[in-house]
Amino acid sequence: HVQLVESGGGSVQAGGSLRLSCAASGILYSRPCMGWFRQAPGKEREEVARISSGNVITRYADTDKGRFSISRDNARHTVYLQMNSLKPEDTAMYYCAADGGCPRRVLDFAYWGQGTQVTV
């Protein structure tokens, strides 16, 4: 049974920082491709950053302008999203996802967490 559990969300003032965590369990792949995504009310889910099994990082400039950083701890099966200089427009539900490959389309990721709310 695959489970992704996000944590670290909350309310923060503009300019503040948050560190999101996503702990994975039950995934057969030792180093799945993992990503962070967000969805604001009335908007489509968008990708923030992903990290492949080979630790290749892709960040989406439109969403973070260098303010966000993704990392992973393979021993803990955990991926992190460090978010700095937060803005009101960063307010959204943030989701973690994992896949054995690294699908191009957001919704093609096989496994998803329940999300953690970030309010700026």
Side-chain angles (χ1 to χ4, degrees):
H1 175 66
V2 176
Q3 192 171 20
L4 301 177
V5 179
E6 301 99 333
S7 61
S11 295
V12 63
Q13 291 186 342
S17 297
L18 285 174
R19 188 192 193 203
L20 306 184
S21 300
C22 172
S25 61
I27 296 181
L28 297 179
Y29 319 106
S30 61
R31 290 188 178 186
C33 177
M34 299 187 74
W36 284 99
F37 306 82
R38 68 185 184 185
Q39 188 166 18
K43 294 188 177 181
E44 292 186 355
R45 190 168 298 188
E46 64 177 354
E47 185 165 352
V48 176
R50 65 172 66 189
I51 183 166
S52 73
S53 59
N55 287 339
V56 175
I57 292 172
T58 303
R59 289 201 305 259
Y60 291 85
D62 287 346
T63 57
D64 72 24
K65 301 293 185 185
R67 296 180 293 120
F68 296 173
S69 178
I70 189 171
S71 61
R72 69 191 299 163
D73 182 336
N74 291 319
R76 297 176 184 270
H77 306 288
T78 300
V79 65
Y80 304 97
L81 184 69
Q82 178 68 42
M83 305 187 294
N84 300 322
S85 303
L86 284 161
K87 303 176 181 180
E89 50 263 44
D90 295 318
T91 295
M93 185 70 78
Y94 283 71
Y95 297 92
C96 168
D99 196 277
C102 229
R104 179 174 298 179
R105 295 197 311 164
V106 169
L107 296 182
D108 286 342
F109 273 77
Y111 308 107
W112 289 87
Q114 294 300 305
T116 185
Q117 177 69 36
V118 171
T119 302
V120 183

